[in-house]
Amino acid sequence: METMQSMSSGKRPADKVGCLSPEELRKKVVSRAIRNIKRGHADDDSKRGMFRPEVRLDLQRSRLMTESYRETEGQPMVIRRAKALAHILTNMGIFIGDYERIVGYQTAEPNGIFHPIDQNWKSPRRLANSEEGKTLLDEEGRKELDKLCDYWKGKSISDRHQAALPPDLKKYWTYEGTFLWSQLSELGVPNYEKLFKAGLKGIVEEARQRMDELDREIPVDFKAQKDFLEAVVISLEAVIKFAKRYADLALSASAKEINPPRKTILEEIARTCEWVPENPPRTFIEAIQFFFFIHLVRYLEYSTLGIGVRVDHLFGPYYEKDLREGRINREEALGILQLLWIKLNELGLVYSPTVSSVYGGVASLQAVTIGGTDEEGRDVTNDLTYLVMEAAESLRLIEPSIALRIHDNTPDEVYSRAVDVIKTGIGYPSLFNDEALIPLYERWGVPHGEAKSYSVTGCVYIEIPGKNILRRSVGYPVLAKMLWWALHQGKDPKTGVQFGARTPDPATFKSWEDLLDAYCEQVKFFFTKIEQLERINNEILAEYLPRPFYSALLDGCIEKGKDCRKWVYPSMIHHFAQVIGGVNVADSITAVQKVVFDDKLVTLPELIEIMDRNWEGREDVRQACLSAPKYGNDDDYADRIAAEVMVRGEAAVEEVKDGFGLSHRSDGSAVSATYGLSGDTPATPDGRRDGEPFSDSTLAPAPGRDKKGPTAVLKSASKISTVDTFNHLLNQKFSPKFLTGELKPAFMGYLKTWKELSVPHIQFNVVDRETLVKAKKFPEQYSDLIVRVAGFSAYFVDLSPGLQDHIIARTEQRLV
Amino acid sequence: MTGDFGGRGRQGMSGSKSVEVKRGMIFYIQRFSVHDGPGIRTTVFMKGCPLRCWWCSNPESQSFSPQLIVRDVNCAGCGACVSACPKGAVTLAAHLGRRINRALCDDCLLCVDRCLYRSLDRCGTAVTVDEVMDNIERDLPFYRNSEGGVTVSGGEPLSQADFVEQLFVRCGKEGLHRVLDTSGYASGHDLERVARQADLILYDIKHLDPLIHRKATGVDNAVILENLEKAARINGALWLRVPLIEGFNDAEEHITRIAELGLEKGAEKISFLPYHEGGLSKSRQLGVDYPFKGIRAPGDERIAELAGIVEAMGLKVSIGV
């Protein structure tokens, strides 16, 4: 209480406001977005670097982790992981930016990114030695990286995984166009509410008590549990000390600081970091700093993507208490959020060049959630809901993206503010429909109340915060290629190699349903391969990459004495696959029904033969396929087939179960794979030519095929049952005029109807086609132009010319 | 005045005998229409208009009969249309591409069905009220959530008054908000019976001077002004719409007079619709002349100035909507 008094008596808050303007803050951001240099197998724009030239690969995490690993050989793995984290946190270089109030950095320099060498050392080394990545390291750095890699040869997760794969399975590990299995994508959200109540010291205490109990109980896995809990204590204590290093640094800096307002801030940083995350936060800024330390260390321990925090719901009470007690005003809270936004742009990772084809434009897919309801179903909107949108609007950065949860009782004012922010063209908030999604989570087995507390980590990745959901995206299945296999009985017509399932001869098909059966069989076949790859990978991760720090932040791990990888929250919210090309599958099956079975223009074998020649010489047949009804036009012929294709396709996915007995499932977060991985799918019966991009999201019509305007698109989307499929993504593009002035109420009516129609998601590119065309031509004048790619926003200039064209080609819902 | 208002008499849409289902000639149904009345609407564009305005943005709306639309960019040069044409109006030559001799073409549209590339298309379809309702009903929730509804525009809807009246009666039964977008050039009887079924009338005022009006639209404005009086006496709301053309009707004095007229007739607002060149490319596709290429909209500042004048008189103004 004493500390509280001293805090509230301090001079606040006017003298701290507006350290830097939003424009000045924007300049502090070094974009770490990856630029897509590959498109599937092919080079896309490899002559330019994979990162902006100012970005550097920071080796300190790799260096310190390697040092620690060398010292802990022979110890239990979970302890080694904890000690490695502690070694990093104790020894890594730290600094405080001269404008910061919230501190913490993943690297020693403001322009750094790191790569988890313990996971995979080949990609960063290959990249750092290639033309595309040569700016990441200097000569000395490359030498050091080589040395570090020597240690990890045979020890990294990737090495162990590849070594374990039987040859038959290994051919599916290599990307050939049907799915890109990916190692590097791990999500999940800590139980921040619990952490804020207990402080890390409370969690340490809990772990210690559990260890005492174990000493009395002596369960069969006594040693394993004790090791895990000891690792928890090592990790959490290291994090507390890590924060205190910042406190010390701020204190010594304040002693030297001559500018009084800055001195006050440095003193505040020192007080804050001395208190959190060891103790429960008492104020808004303490809560934010607490969160950021945890978030940062999650990345340093090993996470790759996402945030998943419900900002308004989590931090609102702290802000309101500060407001009531006169410690803060609205303007200052906005300033703090802006500073947090800058910090969330400081995370980034290195991916392999092939993976750049799907992550083009992504830094680390940071998304925060606002709105929605609490577990009892009450709307959670508070002043922070609006402040978050204001912060985003003022900064116009690619991250964090905002996921806005909409439900039956969302206030009109929230819609209105959301439209204003969307209008700026930054691509968010993206809207999530509680009324469509919560029944889906319940089907997955999430208890009702917990389903209502869901959040979004990035794109449309769904999380239940605090539950043991260590989620991985297992990769990118190309559904359109699976259909292609179904049309070829799983055999490559060029090589004669049987790669997919041996499904029946298309010559025997009598209707679209027969084709759908064969397609579903291929889906199941390839998902089984994915599961087999994944199963081995998960076993290796559980053995060699336990996460004691992250586990301690989740419900249940400490009680069970088990790392989060060794058990799961009992629901289908688990691993998932980012499917692409599903709409093209639906349109293709519809076109086959129309052209082959209804109109009898050609037989199915003839169509396949024409398609395999990429329509050459038979443009008439291609035009007939293009003219067949298409999903996205509120045309029941096409939509009925699309609905069935999606539901049956997902059922086939769900037939495949993981090691815990949980179903695989799809997810709408296709990132830029709809473009990046479409290059390896030959022509499809929907009239698509070899290599042409797919529909840009799981609910969006294929590019240029929607002719009836935005209401028809929503009507078509509403016919795809969310509860029987998965969490989709829907991109729409509007001219800014639609969201402005007298037309704004109509746009709000459109959004309300979107909610009413139970379409699970929607997001917008609000930009004129002309602007995009100009930006492609004169990138230097449009360096700040942001576009929505899939579930994330990106700087348009970071995208390859091909991906830029794909975005330009999306149907703009125009004024008529 | 009993002028020739075009429409039924001229086109004989419903035939000479009594026909069970009245058909209307439409050229487009626009969903997510947000410019022709409040909220999200579906606008039914009736085909055929007795006026020939210089600035017409929908030249395909003028003729009462179906017409051939030609989109040369889509043409693959397959020649299917050449053999389909009974009049020999279509030719295909390597150096010239596909040509259509409009003097020989009688809009039989046989070529349209043969074109795989949507390079040849039909403009104008005779539809029943039921068919239109099927389209309209698809967006019911959008109307409800945005306080939108149905707009009938054109062409001149009142030239097909029987059909539009029936359509409005049906929409009324469904509880839909109905907007009539009219030039006002119709018999007073037709105007009244259709306007009675509308919740809002968008009434075009192009020019107040009879001679100028006749010159620019081909018809006199006396009947339009008479009908405005009738429209104003009917219960629904009234907005005046003024297509703004530089040097033609944008004089301050003229706009002031229109505003006075609006106040006198109890209009809720005046919409300025600045001229746009949308009609130009469409007239090319129709193979008709678009002779008034020189005309243009006043500048944005000028429009704002005019809006200021009207607002100062106590009348609301919107631009483009």
Side-chain angles (χ1 to χ4, degrees):
Chain A
M1 279 333 283
E2 213 175 331
T3 327
M4 283 295 286
Q5 280 162 2
S6 71
M7 290 193 62
S8 51
S9 65
K11 272 222 269 162
R12 299 175 86 83
D15 57 348
K16 299 222 179 134
V17 173
C19 308
L20 287 182
S21 71
E23 286 310 314
E24 290 166 314
L25 274 179
R26 277 160 59 79
K27 291 189 194 128
K28 301 288 179 190
V29 174
V30 176
S31 174
R32 291 159 171 78
I34 297 144
R35 306 199 285 198
N36 52 309
I37 56 173
K38 286 273 191 180
R39 182 169 182 233
H41 285 116
D43 283 344
D44 203 30
D45 193 13
S46 56
K47 59 186 179 296
R48 77 178 172 174
M50 198 165 118
F51 289 91
R52 293 195 178 189
E54 58 272 30
V55 174
R56 294 286 173 275
L57 183 59
D58 185 295
L59 294 177
Q60 67 172 352
R61 180 186 180 276
S62 300
R63 185 186 307 132
L64 292 166
M65 176 159 277
T66 310
E67 276 175 20
S68 175
Y69 261 64
R70 284 184 198 282
E71 284 164 18
T72 58
E73 300 274 359
Q75 297 180 26
M77 200 63 217
V78 70
I79 302 276
R80 294 184 72 189
R81 293 297 300 175
K83 284 185 176 169
L85 180 65
H87 189 65
I88 293 166
L89 295 177
T90 311
N91 296 291
M92 65 186 271
I94 62 169
F95 66 94
I96 296 173
D98 60 8
Y99 60 95
E100 290 190 317
R101 274 181 84 178
I102 302 155
V103 298
Y105 232 94
Q106 64 173 3
T107 53
E109 301 288 338
N111 54 349
I113 47 173
F114 75 84
H115 183 85
I117 197 167
D118 39 334
Q119 182 87 355
N120 168 359
W121 50 269
K122 285 179 186 151
S123 298
R125 193 170 70 167
R126 199 165 56 224
L127 189 65
N129 285 295
S130 72
E131 194 58 25
E132 299 88 24
K134 63 173 185 213
T135 52
L136 286 173
L137 280 177
D138 56 18
E139 213 37 60
E140 210 175 310
R142 269 189 280 275
K143 274 187 202 140
E144 188 184 357
L145 179 61
D146 277 348
K147 265 200 209 125
L148 292 169
C149 290
D150 285 343
Y151 175 81
W152 290 98
K153 274 176 196 160
K155 294 194 186 73
S156 79
I157 298 298
S158 185
D159 285 324
R160 293 183 193 277
H161 186 234
Q162 284 172 58
L165 293 177
D168 261 6
L169 190 55
K170 192 150 186 189
K171 71 178 187 222
Y172 293 94
W173 176 82
T174 312
Y175 169 71
E176 58 67 54
T178 312
F179 61 84
L180 178 66
W181 183 80
S182 121
Q183 177 74 253
L184 262 167
S185 179
E186 197 155 292
L187 305 152
V189 184
N191 188 343
Y192 283 107
E193 281 173 18
K194 178 184 169 191
L195 295 180
F196 284 5
K197 278 194 199 96
L200 290 191
K201 73 173 180 196
I203 311 290
V204 168
E205 187 51 35
E206 191 189 332
R208 288 224 162 92
Q209 272 177 18
R210 188 66 202 129
M211 285 160 90
D212 291 346
E213 286 165 22
L214 287 176
D215 287 350
R216 292 191 293 275
E217 289 167 13
I218 320 286
V220 283
D221 56 349
F222 170 79
K223 180 70 172 55
Q225 289 202 43
K226 278 292 278 282
D227 287 345
F228 167 72
L229 292 168
E230 194 191 330
V232 165
V233 172
I234 294 169
S235 313
L236 296 186
E237 286 183 337
V239 177
I240 293 168
K241 281 188 203 134
F242 178 59
K244 292 191 191 227
R245 288 181 66 204
Y246 278 95
D248 291 346
L249 182 63
L251 209 58
S252 61
S254 79
K256 284 176 240 153
E257 180 62 55
I258 47 165
N259 173 7
R262 183 65 197 158
K263 199 180 179 70
T264 317
I265 286 174
L266 286 166
E267 285 163 7
E268 176 198 71
I269 293 171
R271 273 197 311 274
T272 305
C273 298
E274 190 61 38
W275 186 256
V276 291
E278 183 178 15
N279 299 291
R282 298 157 301 185
T283 62
F284 182 58
I285 194 144
E286 283 181 358
I288 297 267
Q289 180 67 67
F290 191 130
F291 154 74
F292 192 70
F293 274 133
I294 300 297
H295 189 57
L296 184 65
V297 176
R298 258 181 76 214
Y299 275 75
L300 287 166
E301 184 195 41
Y302 184 56
S303 265
T304 57
L305 302 164
I307 305 175
V309 169
R310 301 180 66 188
V311 184
D312 49 356
H313 193 43
L314 180 66
F315 298 111
Y318 295 92
Y319 164 63
E320 278 158 10
K321 182 162 174 279
D322 279 5
L323 206 57
R324 270 196 312 275
E325 294 171 9
R327 266 192 302 273
I328 204 169
N329 60 26
R330 199 171 184 281
E331 194 187 347
E332 189 182 5
L334 177 64
I336 291 169
L337 283 177
Q338 287 166 336
L339 288 165
L340 175 64
W341 257 227
I342 300 296
K343 294 236 67 88
L344 294 171
N345 272 273
E346 291 165 357
L347 302 163
L349 278 177
V350 178
Y351 292 85
S352 76
T354 307
V355 176
S356 84
S357 66
V358 301
Y359 279 119
V362 168
S364 52
L365 274 183
Q366 303 282 295
V368 297
T369 306
I370 55 172
T373 65
D374 61 16
E375 295 206 357
E376 278 75 49
R378 289 177 299 241
D379 178 60
V380 304
T381 306
N382 58 37
D383 203 27
L384 220 46
T385 315
Y386 300 104
L387 276 169
V388 164
M389 289 198 263
E390 210 169 317
E393 192 182 21
S394 64
L395 289 168
R396 303 190 313 281
L397 296 166
I398 55 170
E399 294 185 356
S401 170
I402 298 171
L404 170 60
R405 283 180 47 182
I406 298 284
H407 59 101
D408 285 345
N409 298 314
T410 297
D412 269 13
E413 182 60 18
V414 170
Y415 281 97
S416 173
R417 276 302 284 146
V419 172
D420 293 342
V421 180
I422 291 167
K423 190 179 69 192
T424 64
I426 52 179
Y428 52 84
S430 67
L431 274 52
F432 288 75
N433 190 348
D434 283 7
E435 311 302 337
L437 288 165
I438 288 169
L440 171 69
Y441 310 151
E442 288 173 4
R443 176 172 76 80
W444 288 344
V446 181
H448 187 66
E450 289 174 11
K452 286 186 173 171
S453 67
Y454 83 95
S455 69
V456 178
T457 28
C459 278
V460 294
Y461 304 139
I462 303 298
E463 310 276 1
I464 307 293
K467 303 301 167 197
N468 180 23
I469 304 160
L470 183 87
R471 309 188 74 207
R472 280 178 32 78
S473 158
V474 301
Y476 303 84
V478 183
L479 298 177
K481 185 76 181 268
M482 294 181 190
L483 178 75
W484 185 85
W485 287 115
L487 291 165
H488 295 88
Q489 297 186 266
K491 195 188 250 184
D492 188 325
K494 285 197 184 113
T495 61
V497 173
Q498 188 73 38
F499 190 74
R502 195 185 299 274
T503 43
D505 184 350
T508 65
F509 293 170
K510 297 277 177 287
S511 75
W512 66 275
E513 277 116 333
D514 293 338
L515 176 54
L516 177 55
D517 288 344
Y519 162 71
C520 289
E521 212 174 307
Q522 296 292 350
V523 169
K524 197 177 161 192
F525 175 88
F526 286 108
F527 268 81
T528 303
K529 296 295 173 199
I530 293 174
E531 165 53 23
Q532 289 169 352
L533 289 169
E534 207 33 46
R535 190 168 284 187
I536 296 170
N537 184 53
N538 280 318
E539 203 183 333
I540 288 164
L541 287 172
E543 188 172 349
Y544 295 101
L545 206 72
R547 296 185 59 187
F549 167 72
Y550 177 61
S551 299
L553 315 178
L554 300 171
D555 296 352
C557 290
I558 291 177
E559 286 137 272
K560 289 186 164 53
K562 270 188 182 172
D563 186 81
C564 60
R565 293 195 198 277
K566 302 215 162 144
W567 65 286
V568 284
Y569 178 70
S571 94
M572 306 271 188
I573 295 215
H574 196 223
H575 299 339
F576 58 89
Q578 295 165 247
V579 290
I580 59 171
V583 169
N584 296 79
V585 171
D587 281 349
S588 292
I589 293 179
T590 304
V592 166
Q593 177 62 27
K594 182 80 173 63
V595 174
V596 174
F597 298 116
D598 287 1
D599 298 350
K600 301 190 167 51
L601 188 73
V602 286
T603 65
L604 189 50
E606 281 165 359
L607 175 64
I608 294 166
E609 194 261 330
I610 292 164
M611 228 176 66
D612 287 351
R613 278 189 280 120
N614 198 19
W615 311 101
E616 225 164 90
R618 292 308 299 272
E619 183 62 17
D620 58 330
V621 175
R622 189 176 94 88
Q623 289 296 332
C625 289
L626 280 176
S627 300
K630 293 283 180 282
Y631 166 83
N633 295 288
D634 196 12
D635 177 334
D636 292 332
Y637 185 106
D639 295 347
R640 194 175 67 86
I641 294 179
E644 184 77 11
V645 168
M646 299 235 190
V647 170
R648 288 274 314 279
E650 187 60 11
V653 170
E654 291 187 6
E655 275 183 57
V656 180
K657 308 272 198 274
D658 72 2
F660 292 107
L662 298 177
S663 281
H664 275 251
R665 46 178 212 80
S666 309
D667 178 289
S669 311
V671 205
S672 54
T674 58
Y675 163 77
L677 298 187
S678 58
D680 303 303
T681 299
T684 40
D686 53 344
R688 181 185 149 276
R689 292 193 189 93
D690 183 11
E692 279 182 0
F694 300 130
S695 152
D696 69 13
S697 53
T698 56
L699 279 187
R705 308 248 169 98
D706 50 326
K707 311 280 189 196
K708 300 269 163 132
T711 59
V713 172
L714 289 191
K715 287 291 298 295
S716 284
S718 75
K719 295 176 209 171
I720 312 292
S721 160
T722 300
V723 74
D724 292 326
T725 54
F726 55 92
N727 49 311
H728 292 274
L729 190 145
L730 173 60
N731 268 323
Q732 287 284 275
K733 188 157 107 183
F734 277 88
S735 156
K737 287 171 257 181
F738 266 115
L739 286 71
T740 318
E742 301 211 30
L743 299 186
K744 184 178 163 187
F747 193 80
M748 282 172 63
Y750 162 83
L751 291 181
K752 285 181 184 173
T753 314
W754 159 83
K755 191 231 19 174
E756 205 176 293
L757 289 173
S758 275
V759 179
H761 171 269
I762 197 164
Q763 64 188 17
F764 300 97
N765 258 311
V766 177
V767 60
D768 287 316
R769 189 178 184 282
E770 294 70 34
T771 309
L772 295 177
V773 171
K774 270 190 228 154
K776 189 183 172 204
K777 210 166 162 192
F778 307 108
E780 61 290 347
Q781 292 170 30
Y782 291 89
S783 60
D784 283 349
L785 179 68
I786 291 175
V787 290
R788 194 73 177 171
V789 179
F792 65 98
S793 294
Y795 292 112
F796 188 69
V797 298
D798 280 341
L799 309 177
S800 72
L803 186 48
Q804 289 178 337
D805 287 340
H806 182 38
I807 287 169
I808 292 169
R810 285 177 189 170
T811 310
E812 179 182 309
Q813 306 292 1
R814 276 174 171 276
L815 296 172
V816 181
Chain B
M1 180 160 181
T2 55
D4 174 9
F5 301 113
R8 292 153 299 145
R10 183 185 293 180
Q11 56 170 336
M13 284 307 306
S14 52
S16 50
K17 305 265 161 53
S18 71
V19 174
E20 301 298 304
V21 188
K22 283 254 176 351
R23 286 183 179 266
M25 178 60 67
I26 64 167
F27 69 92
Y28 196 55
I29 295 181
Q30 167 76 50
R31 292 168 71 174
F32 196 70
S33 168
V34 291
H35 284 134
D36 297 309
I40 296 172
R41 317 191 67 80
T42 293
T43 298
V44 181
F45 289 92
M46 306 303 298
K47 189 157 158 54
C49 185
L51 275 62
R52 291 292 178 270
C53 304
W54 287 351
W55 52 85
C56 184
S57 58
N58 292 329
E60 75 275 36
S61 75
Q62 295 181 349
S63 160
F64 286 91
S65 333
Q67 285 168 288
L68 177 67
I69 294 266
V70 183
R71 292 187 199 96
D72 283 329
V73 287
N74 291 359
C75 181
C78 72
C81 46
V82 179
S83 51
C85 183
K87 304 275 177 190
V90 191
T91 53
L92 185 67
H95 58 295
L96 292 171
R98 190 258 327 271
R99 287 282 181 92
I100 293 177
N101 185 340
R102 290 279 183 172
L104 295 177
C105 173
D106 65 351
D107 287 318
C108 72
L109 306 179
L110 287 172
C111 54
V112 169
D113 294 337
R114 300 288 302 279
C115 180
L116 277 168
Y117 305 92
R118 279 141 305 187
S119 172
L120 300 174
D121 219 341
R122 157 193 291 270
C123 173
T125 315
V127 292
T128 62
V129 168
D130 280 345
E131 284 164 355
V132 178
M133 288 308 291
D134 282 349
N135 275 281
I136 288 172
E137 282 168 357
R138 292 189 162 264
D139 280 349
L140 290 178
F142 293 96
Y143 313 145
R144 190 177 61 248
N145 286 315
S146 68
E147 295 178 7
V150 175
T151 297
V152 180
S153 180
E156 175 47 63
L158 297 179
S159 298
Q160 302 184 56
D162 286 351
F163 179 83
V164 177
E165 185 185 16
Q166 277 186 23
L167 178 61
F168 272 167
V169 169
R170 277 287 297 280
C171 290
K173 281 185 191 148
E174 305 286 334
L176 295 174
H177 183 264
R178 297 154 299 178
V179 170
L180 171 68
D181 179 18
T182 179
S183 70
Y185 191 75
S187 80
H189 171 68
D190 284 346
L191 177 111
E192 280 179 325
R193 66 188 174 118
V194 176
R196 249 182 238 116
Q197 298 299 330
D199 302 292
L200 166 66
I201 303 173
L202 309 182
Y203 204 101
D204 265 28
I205 297 294
K206 304 174 206 300
H207 208 289
L208 294 174
D209 182 279
L211 289 176
I212 297 177
H213 195 277
R214 176 174 284 281
K215 192 174 161 205
T217 69
V219 304
D220 197 272
N221 68 0
V223 67
I224 292 173
L225 297 174
E226 271 170 40
N227 278 340
L228 176 60
E229 178 57 35
K230 291 193 173 80
R233 281 202 303 268
I234 291 168
N235 275 335
L238 178 70
W239 297 358
L240 299 189
R241 299 185 115 187
V242 183
L244 275 188
I245 293 127
E246 190 183 58
F248 168 68
N249 61 1
D250 67 337
E252 283 169 30
E253 181 265 336
H254 184 241
I255 294 296
T256 307
R257 276 172 56 211
I258 292 177
E260 280 165 0
L261 186 67
L263 286 167
E264 185 193 316
K265 304 298 179 201
E268 283 179 2
K269 71 169 185 180
I270 290 186
S271 302
F272 287 149
L273 304 179
Y275 169 77
H276 63 86
E277 287 193 340
L280 200 63
S281 60
K282 288 196 274 189
S283 60
R284 251 183 246 127
Q285 296 175 353
L286 282 167
V288 298
D289 272 350
Y290 192 79
F292 305 102
K293 287 180 186 133
I295 64 174
R296 58 178 185 219
D300 288 348
E301 277 179 29
R302 174 70 180 154
I303 295 172
E305 218 174 283
L306 296 174
I309 292 171
V310 177
E311 276 164 354
M313 294 168 67
L315 197 54
K316 268 175 64 180
V317 180
S318 62
I319 296 160
V321 186

